[in-house]
Amino acid sequence: MRVSILAEYGLPEGVSLVGTLAVLVPIALVTVALRWLPFGFVRALKGSDLFGLLGRMMPVGVMVVLVVYTLSGQSAAPGGIYAALLAVVATLGLHWLRRDSGLSILGGTVVYLVLVNLVF
């Protein structure tokens, strides 16, 4: 039985190496360009007032979106919305006491997981 040369590359019959490379090379170039693009913007906008404002406001905005998304997704689970609300209160309380974002997020996550798995 004669084995096709394409089988050496793991390609099925009817698929050429040139066709595969014609698809993969542009995909690779676009991927690299998209990964590089944010760093190019950072260099170009480093001294901008808008960029400074976004740097201060974006973390808060992202956290608000995550909290709203989490709370809206918990309404289907039995007791999930109560566990999520209590975890938000615990997170806010920890942050008010310690002013440490990492501790607040970790503490809120632990409270939520304990409530969902052991209480509700």
Side-chain angles (χ1 to χ4, degrees):
M1 177 180 230
R2 186 176 161 240
V3 176
S4 167
I5 191 164
L6 294 177
E8 292 178 32
Y9 296 109
L11 298 174
E13 291 295 325
V15 177
S16 71
L17 183 59
V18 173
T20 303
L21 290 176
V23 171
L24 291 179
V25 168
I27 289 173
L29 291 174
V30 168
T31 300
V32 168
L34 288 174
R35 306 265 178 178
W36 172 82
L37 199 60
F39 296 105
F41 280 128
V42 167
R43 261 188 241 116
L45 298 173
K46 195 142 195 146
S48 168
D49 290 337
L50 175 64
F51 199 64
L53 176 68
L54 288 175
R56 287 189 307 275
M57 301 303 286
M58 284 291 289
V60 174
V62 169
M63 291 305 293
V64 167
V65 168
L66 288 173
V67 167
V68 169
Y69 175 77
T70 300
L71 291 176
S72 68
Q74 296 302 318
S75 59
I81 190 70
Y82 302 116
L85 287 172
L86 288 171
V88 167
V89 170
T91 303
L92 291 173
L94 272 172
H95 194 71
W96 182 69
L97 289 172
R98 295 294 203 159
R99 300 277 188 231
D100 184 358
S101 298
L103 177 66
S104 303
I105 293 169
L106 181 65
T109 302
V110 168
V111 167
Y112 175 75
L113 289 174
V114 167
L115 289 173
V116 166
N117 290 308
L118 299 179
V119 178
F120 293 109

